[in-house]
Amino acid sequence: MKQKKENVKKWLKENMHSSIKEIVPKLNIKLEGHYRYYGIFDNFKALQSFTRFVVEALYRALRRRGQRVGWLTRIKLQQTLKSLKFTRPKLYLLYGY
């Protein structure tokens, strides 16, 4: 998990100057793959934790882009992610072996 988080932070740092409308769809593809691989019946809390980490890392990366204070609040980010249909965790295997 530590390596995945480092990869997300690195990718966001490389792409932080792109527009939010370009970042979110690409990030959705990455998250969808993560959810499909790790989305098993007893792993939902870990998926939620990873999603919260990604949103927080996105917020930090976007806040570093400019010097205007207060241009992006957490509420604005949540509204933007909702309007851009940010991918939320989903379980793909609902039963054990």
Side-chain angles (χ1 to χ4, degrees):
M1 186 61 83
K2 186 176 179 179
Q3 185 64 39
K4 289 292 270 186
K5 288 180 178 181
E6 290 297 321
N7 289 343
V8 167
K9 284 176 25 179
K10 181 181 175 191
W11 185 84
L12 285 172
K13 187 175 181 180
E14 291 170 356
N15 294 292
M16 76 177 183
H17 294 291
S18 301
S19 72
I20 298 174
K21 291 180 181 179
E22 293 174 6
I23 292 174
V24 171
K26 292 177 185 176
L27 197 56
N28 279 344
I29 292 169
K30 293 177 181 301
L31 286 173
E32 185 71 28
H34 182 80
Y35 298 153
R36 286 182 185 271
Y37 189 81
Y38 293 105
I40 58 175
F41 64 98
D42 199 23
N43 205 19
F44 193 71
K45 286 186 180 181
L47 293 177
Q48 286 179 322
S49 173
F50 185 71
T51 303
R52 282 192 300 270
F53 173 80
V54 169
V55 170
E56 183 65 25
L58 177 63
Y59 175 72
R60 288 181 182 164
L62 294 176
R63 292 277 297 190
R64 292 183 59 85
R65 295 196 312 184
Q67 295 179 357
R68 291 184 300 167
V69 176
W71 74 274
L72 181 66
T73 62
R74 292 182 194 279
I75 295 171
K76 283 183 186 178
L77 179 64
Q78 290 297 331
Q79 292 170 347
T80 304
L81 292 178
K82 189 174 182 179
S83 69
L84 293 175
K85 296 182 177 28
F86 184 74
T87 303
R88 294 293 174 189
K90 181 179 175 185
L91 294 179
Y92 287 92
L93 183 62
L94 300 177
Y95 52 86
Y97 296 172

